[in-house]
Amino acid sequence: QVQLVESGGGLVQPGGSLRLSCEASGNIASRNVMGWYRQTPGTERELVAVYFTGAVTKYADSVQGRFIISRDNAKNTVYLQMNSLKPEDTAVYYCNYRPLRNPVDYWGQGTQVTVSS
């Protein structure tokens, strides 16, 4: 089992920045992917950014160039620096962990990000 604890999020004005953090604990696989997804009411959860062990990253087109995902493997923690935020970035953001050998998704509790003036 793996537990994910998220922090960050909140209310920010358009053009502002926020940083999300997610720490994983438990049975952490040596090869895994951690990242962030987001969801708004009535829509499917969508990928925002993910970070594979081996330093490979992937971003949604909508956040490329504005968001930066990083990772501290020693702390099993992944970060999402969100810059130049737009109202359409408003969503609940979920941390995700997936071991690559036996892919099972683990999710954090979700944190609300609201971009509004």
Side-chain angles (χ1 to χ4, degrees), residues 51-74:
Y51 198 122
F52 291 81
T53 50
V56 175
T57 59
K58 178 179 179 180
Y59 293 90
D61 290 343
S62 59
V63 307
Q64 183 77 47
R66 299 189 297 122
F67 291 11
I68 301 171
I69 190 168
S70 59
R71 179 167 176 160
D72 185 336
N73 288 325

Side-chain angles (χ1 to χ4, degrees), residues 36-54:
W36 297 92
Y37 290 69
R38 66 188 181 188
Q39 188 171 24
T40 56
T43 68
E44 293 188 357
R45 198 169 294 186
E46 64 174 7
L47 181 146
V48 177
V50 292
Y51 198 122
F52 291 81
T53 50

Side-chain angles (χ1 to χ4, degrees), residues 9-49:
L11 173 64
V12 65
Q13 292 187 344
S17 298
L18 280 175
R19 189 192 197 209
L20 305 181
S21 300
C22 174
E23 181 178 2
S25 62
N27 187 19
I28 307 299
S30 59
R31 294 176 63 243
N32 61 73
V33 54
M34 291 185 69
W36 297 92
Y37 290 69
R38 66 188 181 188
Q39 188 171 24
T40 56
T43 68
E44 293 188 357
R45 198 169 294 186
E46 64 174 7
L47 181 146
V48 177

Side-chain angles (χ1 to χ4, degrees), residues 12-15 38 40 66 84-91 93 112-117:
V12 65
Q13 292 187 344
R38 66 188 181 188
T40 56
R66 299 189 297 122
S84 302
L85 282 160
K86 304 175 181 180
E88 51 263 43
D89 294 317
T90 295
Y93 284 69
Q112 177 70 46
V113 171
T114 301
V115 184
S116 175
S117 56

